[in-house]
Amino acid sequence: MEPRPAAPRPRLCDSLGADQTLSASTLNAARAEARPAGRRAPAVAAVLPAGGSGERMGVPTPKQFCPVLERPLISYTLQALERVCWIKDIVVAVTGENMEAMKGIIQKYQHQRISLVEAGVTRHRSIFNGLKALAEDQPDSKLSKPEVVIIHDAVRPFVEEDVLLKVVTAAKEYGAAGAIRPLVSTVISPSADGCLDHSLERARHRASEMPQAFLFDVIYEAYQQCSDYDLEFGTECLQLALKYGHIKAKLVEGSPDLWKVTYKRDLYAAESIIKERISQHICLIMDTKDENHVGHRLEEVLKDELNHVKVTSRLPCHTGRDLDQIVSEQCYSYVCVNVMTSDFEEIRKLVNMLEESNLSILYPVVVISVYFLDYKSVPFDQKMENLMQIREYAKEVKKRNILLCGLLIYYPQDEQKLQESLRQGATIIATLIKERNSGLVGQLLVA
Amino acid sequence: MEPRPAAPRPRLCDSLGADQTLSASTLNAARAEARPAGRRAPAVAAVLPAGGSGERMGVPTPKQFCPVLERPLISYTLQALERVCWIKDIVVAVTGENMEAMKGIIQKYQHQRISLVEAGVTRHRSIFNGLKALAEDQPDSKLSKPEVVIIHDAVRPFVEEDVLLKVVTAAKEYGAAGAIRPLVSTVISPSADGCLDHSLERARHRASEMPQAFLFDVIYEAYQQCSDYDLEFGTECLQLALKYGHIKAKLVEGSPDLWKVTYKRDLYAAESIIKERISQHICLIMDTKDENHVGHRLEEVLKDELNHVKVTSRLPCHTGRDLDQIVSEQCYSYVCVNVMTSDFEEIRKLVNMLEESNLSILYPVVVISVYFLDYKSVPFDQKMENLMQIREYAKEVKKRNILLCGLLIYYPQDEQKLQESLRQGATIIATLIKERNSGLVGQLLVA
């Protein structure tokens, strides 16, 4: 068993799609319903087999380590588990050759409550190693035996607290539980000569997905009893609980998001889903309170064009309270509307605050600095020269995963043309936020 | 049965991933191996049920009509089938309410050899309607009964000629054949109370995918015999051939690309795959033969940075022969390196040629106009003013699905800085080609 990496510095939990306060109380409430009031919630740990080679992906890197928005896939899965506060320990089984890389990932992305064990040569052996680490009372181990253990895949990053709670609650009652999904394709059984023997009725079968949960003693005893053949060729933990523990697992309907990243196309899909999720909120920062200013009209156009996106606006960030708010809102897209100046002071303050917030450790944060070109205040040439400085500054902040671009919006007198400019500006903002591509940092775009 | 839409104007077949000359002869060769020499290749038609409502997608539009790069998914599937020249007819079953939309798609994307029939309320009924249209000798129908019929899904756009050939050849020999894939998840059978009854051994089962192929008489007779229950609740054509025709279908291992677009994430994956495929070739157009010019250094850097992409270079396009070459190369990404001028003449000529080629009917074509800023020839201001005109012109050509951007590359005397400029230029080019996002057309980017 590997020692834990050094504890990362404190960080507020990520709250994308999960509210921990709610969750902990929901768990207690759910438990309270099924059992006499006053009983404590079960101690829960999770085991994550991550020793696979990813041969189906057609790439040399095992799929759990493939980058998605430049971060390894497994880090998203760890994030999904660790933001659920009632999961006390997360045991990850990785091969010896990936052990150092895994430690690096835990440190870089500040994952918490993770312990590493060495993977076995098959999935079942890896899970067994994870369970052993939880079961054994080693003197130097901080792990303790949980009442319920969740088994999940490293390559299912979109698991929600909701389904974790459901399988844990069902495992407590039934001894074992697992998420299922309807079949997408008909399943058939081939004969030895490669022809159709029979096809299975689709409505009577389900795909067994992850997460699954078990009373720890049930699954640990099953693994202790099971044969080498099971450990080598088996794939289904629910089947082991049935075969050796005589436990009929409760099946829980899961969401489509539980799907397993298996092929290259799944990596593409995962990246698109993550990009979409972190682009659902745009924070506009205005350096004026003047309600009639064109900056507020830009806000209206943005709300109009991006009607699935939450657009909020606020004054510039200067205080510690502003920082707290930025951290708690978990917004990854900022549009700084500079009405009063064409320098970078406000942008610098925002970027400093974003750095302090650690938001960009997990996801690239887009910052778009918007200027209006109204042909009167500052002369064009001087303004342009100021703005071209954005390139150097953008290069610098890109190192901290902050993607900075400039946007210059023409401000013609003609009302209709202005509306057109604003609409084009909104399209460019939407594109930069959606694509979140580091190749365009430092550019000054024109609407 | 709906009349065919007006024949589209002639167009060269799309050759993405399929070579027709090869295919036709391969089919003959494959046939010749299995049967006495000299026998003709079988007459082949395809039926495409496209009446589904796409409820699993969670969007109101049926998934086969969902846009991928602004083109409906079904159009990609039709394209994949029609580029296989030995498929004589493609019968698509669509619901009455989508009939007009479907005709519009066929016309807009110039699909060929398509006939439309009305879909039934279930998948089986839609297929049956398609088969009837092929079987019946209607006086005004141009369809004739094929020897072999392919059944495919409207939502599997990445079907390759190779697997079509395999199922057709096997159907000729066995009477029925279908593509299969290994199972990604374990399949289980639930009991009535929602618990695990048993799990199926994964190695003994396969997912039945599409395409499938049948001797026409075998599958048509099966449909004529089958019960209302089969037509309402069945999903598997191979099963009908087994049940009513006593034909054990030959199973053919398919590639992962055969997967069915089912959920929203699959649309994301499809879009990424298509973007990747049409970005595999970049054509550089140089307005100078001077081998020592910086334009050729840009070419080297591009080849270096994009080592999975084919980068070719050529002189400007002016003649009919140039047009033929553009059409035959099916390249969707152009980088125009303007060394001699800062006007748009070369770009206009290229864009005109692209329009004539009809390439942008199927995919957005990216054109990047590159200029070097060497601080000596043309004064900066004048050059910039010229280049800002790109915005208006880009708006115009965007209507024809051509995405035009400008790129200004600094050309410092310092060798190391020049190399840096070129590398940044290559990154921007790669980003614009990869993202292929219309939100950035007309921008003048700076490297």
Side-chain angles (χ1 to χ4, degrees):
Chain A
M1 160 120 193
E2 291 287 324
R4 295 178 156 209
R9 57 196 164 110
R11 186 184 59 171
L12 277 165
C13 265
D14 181 300
S15 69
L16 265 188
D19 179 324
Q20 299 173 31
T21 323
L22 177 70
S23 323
S25 59
T26 313
L27 182 63
N28 283 322
R31 299 278 321 106
E33 267 176 43
R35 301 274 159 174
R39 264 203 61 174
R40 64 176 178 78
V44 179
V47 170
L48 214 64
S53 67
E55 57 201 26
R56 276 184 289 197
M57 192 78 88
V59 291
T61 309
K63 55 196 169 183
Q64 61 274 28
F65 296 113
C66 283
V68 176
L69 281 177
E70 299 182 17
R71 176 152 68 104
L73 185 62
I74 192 171
S75 168
Y76 293 90
T77 312
L78 293 179
Q79 182 190 351
L81 293 176
E82 74 188 348
R83 74 186 173 209
V84 178
C85 288
W86 46 265
I87 299 178
K88 302 299 172 204
D89 290 297
I90 301 163
V91 180
V92 183
V94 286
T95 59
E97 66 178 322
N98 288 319
M99 195 60 80
E100 283 310 308
M102 192 64 223
K103 284 182 195 166
I105 290 167
I106 291 169
Q107 191 165 32
K108 179 167 183 188
Y109 301 106
Q110 305 188 349
H111 291 301
Q112 295 167 42
R113 315 198 301 277
I114 315 284
S115 300
L116 300 180
V117 298
E118 184 136 347
V121 291
T122 65
R123 184 169 183 278
H124 270 330
R125 290 193 191 276
S126 293
I127 295 171
F128 195 11
N129 288 356
L131 295 175
K132 279 181 200 159
L134 286 167
E136 285 164 15
D137 254 341
Q138 298 189 353
D140 59 339
S141 171
K142 286 178 187 157
L143 297 174
S144 58
K145 201 184 87 168
E147 185 179 356
V148 173
V149 63
I150 293 167
I151 297 176
H152 190 60
D153 280 333
V155 291
R156 300 189 196 245
F158 300 113
V159 59
E160 294 283 348
E161 179 165 6
D162 173 55
V163 71
L164 289 166
L165 181 60
K166 280 184 187 157
V167 292
V168 165
T169 307
K172 190 78 205 296
E173 189 175 342
Y174 292 83
I180 53 166
R181 289 284 307 156
L183 293 173
V184 168
S185 305
T186 302
V187 173
I188 58 164
S189 177
S191 54
D193 60 350
C195 287
L196 174 70
D197 187 78
H198 63 277
S199 79
L200 278 63
E201 215 177 306
R202 213 200 277 189
R204 291 213 185 155
H205 294 85
R206 295 287 182 279
S208 170
E209 308 287 346
M210 291 276 149
Q212 297 176 345
F214 302 86
L215 286 174
F216 184 84
D217 292 337
V218 165
I219 193 68
Y220 190 49
E221 276 162 32
Y223 269 101
Q224 283 174 311
Q225 289 173 45
C226 77
S227 66
D228 276 351
Y229 185 88
D230 287 327
L231 288 174
E232 287 301 313
F233 301 106
T235 55
E236 181 54 70
C237 300
L238 299 183
Q239 181 64 23
L240 294 185
L242 179 63
K243 187 170 168 188
Y244 296 103
H246 309 290
I247 300 280
K248 293 203 161 199
K250 179 67 180 172
L251 304 175
V252 172
E253 197 72 37
S255 78
D257 287 346
L258 289 181
W259 108 101
K260 176 158 71 170
V261 173
T262 307
Y263 300 107
K264 205 173 171 193
R265 67 167 188 264
D266 295 315
L267 278 180
Y268 291 145
E271 182 152 313
S272 297
I273 290 171
I274 291 165
K275 278 184 179 177
E276 194 188 42
R277 289 188 179 185
I278 60 178
S279 303
Q280 287 308 300
H281 178 193
I282 299 177
C283 178
L284 266 86
I285 295 172
M286 302 270 188
D287 68 352
T288 172
K289 283 185 182 172
D290 179 359
E291 292 278 323
N292 295 318
H293 192 273
V294 67
H296 290 280
R297 291 196 47 186
L298 177 65
E299 184 181 347
E300 292 313 309
V301 175
L302 263 176
K303 284 180 179 167
D304 204 49
E305 300 260 309
L306 302 170
N307 50 18
H308 295 295
V309 174
K310 180 176 145 198
V311 179
T312 57
S313 78
R314 50 174 300 155
L315 288 170
C317 316
H318 296 153
T319 68
R321 229 180 115 242
D322 292 326
L323 175 62
D324 292 347
Q325 204 180 343
I326 281 187
V327 171
S328 72
E329 279 180 353
Q330 302 269 322
C331 174
Y332 298 93
S333 311
Y334 294 85
V335 177
C336 255
V337 181
N338 303 279
V339 172
M340 308 313 284
T341 64
S342 63
D343 62 27
F344 289 132
E345 273 324 294
E346 289 306 335
I347 287 287
R348 276 182 210 278
K349 283 177 193 160
L350 172 66
V351 165
N352 289 342
M353 217 160 256
L354 288 172
E355 280 178 34
E356 260 190 88
S357 77
N358 280 347
L359 275 180
S360 63
I361 289 178
L362 293 180
Y363 302 103
V365 175
V366 171
V367 177
I368 302 167
S369 189
V370 177
Y371 303 87
F372 290 95
L373 190 62
D374 54 5
Y375 293 112
K376 42 189 181 187
S377 51
V378 195
F380 180 80
D381 276 7
Q382 191 192 323
K383 200 156 193 168
M384 282 301 279
E385 205 169 300
N386 273 345
L387 298 182
M388 292 305 266
Q389 294 169 7
I390 204 171
R391 298 183 62 215
E392 290 311 310
Y393 185 52
K395 259 186 217 166
E396 198 186 313
V397 301
K398 184 183 158 189
K399 291 173 198 147
R400 277 98 80 190
N401 211 17
I402 294 173
L403 310 180
L404 174 62
C405 272
L407 172 60
L408 187 66
I409 301 183
Y410 275 97
Y411 189 170
Q413 295 302 316
D414 180 275
E415 172 55 32
Q416 200 187 332
K417 281 186 184 161
L418 172 60
Q419 194 63 20
E420 235 171 71
S421 278
L422 292 173
R423 212 171 294 131
Q424 209 201 330
T427 302
I428 292 171
I429 289 170
T431 302
L432 293 173
I433 287 173
K434 184 189 159 212
E435 304 290 7
R436 218 164 275 265
N437 193 311
S438 64
L440 296 178
V441 299
Q443 295 298 322
L444 179 63
L445 304 163
V446 179
Chain B
M1 160 119 193
E2 291 286 323
R4 296 177 156 211
R9 58 197 164 109
R11 185 184 60 172
L12 278 166
C13 266
D14 180 300
S15 69
L16 266 187
D19 179 324
Q20 299 173 31
T21 324
L22 176 70
S23 322
S25 60
T26 313
L27 182 63
N28 283 321
R31 298 280 321 107
E33 267 175 42
R35 301 275 160 175
R39 265 203 59 174
R40 65 177 176 79
V44 179
V47 170
L48 213 64
S53 67
E55 57 201 28
R56 276 185 289 197
M57 191 78 88
V59 291
T61 309
K63 55 196 169 183
Q64 61 274 26
F65 296 113
C66 283
V68 177
L69 280 176
E70 298 182 17
R71 175 152 68 103
L73 184 63
I74 192 171
S75 167
Y76 293 91
T77 313
L78 293 179
Q79 183 191 351
L81 292 177
E82 74 188 349
R83 75 186 174 210
V84 178
C85 288
W86 46 264
I87 299 178
K88 302 299 173 204
D89 290 297
I90 301 163
V91 181
V92 183
V94 286
T95 59
E97 65 178 323
N98 288 319
M99 195 61 79
E100 283 310 308
M102 192 64 223
K103 283 181 194 167
I105 290 167
I106 291 169
Q107 192 166 31
K108 179 167 183 188
Y109 301 107
Q110 305 188 350
H111 291 301
Q112 295 166 44
R113 315 198 301 277
I114 315 284
S115 300
L116 299 180
V117 297
E118 184 136 346
V121 290
T122 65
R123 184 168 183 277
H124 270 330
R125 290 194 191 276
S126 293
I127 294 171
F128 195 12
N129 288 356
L131 295 174
K132 279 181 199 159
L134 286 167
E136 284 163 15
D137 253 342
Q138 297 189 353
D140 60 340
S141 170
K142 285 177 187 158
L143 297 175
S144 58
K145 201 184 88 168
E147 186 179 354
V148 173
V149 63
I150 293 166
I151 297 176
H152 190 59
D153 280 333
V155 291
R156 300 189 195 246
F158 300 113
V159 59
E160 294 283 348
E161 178 165 6
D162 173 56
V163 71
L164 289 166
L165 182 60
K166 279 185 187 156
V167 292
V168 165
T169 307
K172 191 78 206 295
E173 189 176 341
Y174 292 83
I180 54 166
R181 288 284 307 155
L183 293 174
V184 168
S185 305
T186 302
V187 173
I188 57 164
S189 177
S191 54
D193 60 351
C195 287
L196 174 70
D197 188 78
H198 63 277
S199 79
L200 278 62
E201 214 176 308
R202 213 201 276 189
R204 291 212 185 158
H205 293 85
R206 295 286 181 279
S208 171
E209 308 287 345
M210 291 277 148
Q212 297 176 345
F214 302 86
L215 286 174
F216 184 84
D217 292 337
V218 165
I219 193 68
Y220 190 48
E221 276 162 33
Y223 269 101
Q224 283 173 311
Q225 288 173 47
C226 77
S227 66
D228 276 351
Y229 185 88
D230 287 328
L231 289 174
E232 287 302 312
F233 301 106
T235 55
E236 181 53 70
C237 300
L238 300 182
Q239 181 64 22
L240 294 185
L242 179 63
K243 186 171 169 188
Y244 295 103
H246 308 290
I247 301 279
K248 292 203 162 201
K250 179 68 180 170
L251 304 175
V252 172
E253 197 72 36
S255 78
D257 288 346
L258 289 180
W259 108 100
K260 177 158 70 170
V261 173
T262 307
Y263 300 106
K264 206 173 170 194
R265 67 167 188 264
D266 295 315
L267 278 180
Y268 290 144
E271 182 151 313
S272 296
I273 290 170
I274 292 165
K275 277 184 179 176
E276 193 187 43
R277 288 188 179 184
I278 60 178
S279 303
Q280 287 308 300
H281 178 194
I282 299 178
C283 179
L284 265 86
I285 295 172
M286 302 271 190
D287 68 352
T288 173
K289 282 184 182 173
D290 179 359
E291 291 278 324
N292 295 319
H293 192 273
V294 68
H296 290 281
R297 291 196 47 187
L298 178 65
E299 184 181 347
E300 291 314 309
V301 175
L302 263 176
K303 283 180 180 168
D304 204 49
E305 300 261 308
L306 303 170
N307 50 17
H308 295 295
V309 174
K310 180 176 144 198
V311 179
T312 58
S313 79
R314 50 173 302 154
L315 288 170
C317 316
H318 296 153
T319 68
R321 228 180 116 243
D322 293 325
L323 175 63
D324 291 347
Q325 205 180 341
I326 281 187
V327 172
S328 72
E329 279 180 353
Q330 303 268 324
C331 174
Y332 298 93
S333 311
Y334 294 85
V335 177
C336 255
V337 181
N338 303 278
V339 172
M340 308 312 284
T341 65
S342 63
D343 63 26
F344 290 132
E345 273 324 294
E346 289 306 335
I347 287 288
R348 277 182 209 278
K349 283 177 192 158
L350 172 65
V351 165
N352 289 342
M353 216 160 255
L354 288 172
E355 281 178 32
E356 260 190 88
S357 77
N358 281 346
L359 275 180
S360 64
I361 289 178
L362 293 180
Y363 302 103
V365 175
V366 171
V367 177
I368 302 167
S369 189
V370 177
Y371 304 87
F372 290 95
L373 190 61
D374 54 6
Y375 294 111
K376 42 189 182 187
S377 51
V378 195
F380 179 80
D381 277 6
Q382 190 191 325
K383 201 157 192 168
M384 282 302 280
E385 205 169 301
N386 272 345
L387 298 182
M388 292 305 266
Q389 293 169 8
I390 204 170
R391 298 183 62 215
E392 290 310 310
Y393 185 52
K395 259 186 216 166
E396 198 186 312
V397 302
K398 185 183 158 190
K399 291 172 197 147
R400 277 99 80 191
N401 211 17
I402 294 173
L403 311 180
L404 174 62
C405 272
L407 172 60
L408 188 66
I409 300 183
Y410 275 98
Y411 189 170
Q413 295 301 316
D414 181 275
E415 172 56 31
Q416 201 187 332
K417 281 186 184 161
L418 173 60
Q419 194 63 21
E420 235 171 72
S421 278
L422 292 173
R423 212 171 294 131
Q424 209 201 331
T427 302
I428 292 171
I429 289 170
T431 302
L432 293 173
I433 287 173
K434 185 190 160 213
E435 304 290 8
R436 218 164 275 266
N437 193 311
S438 64
L440 296 178
V441 299
Q443 294 299 322
L444 179 62
L445 304 163
V446 179

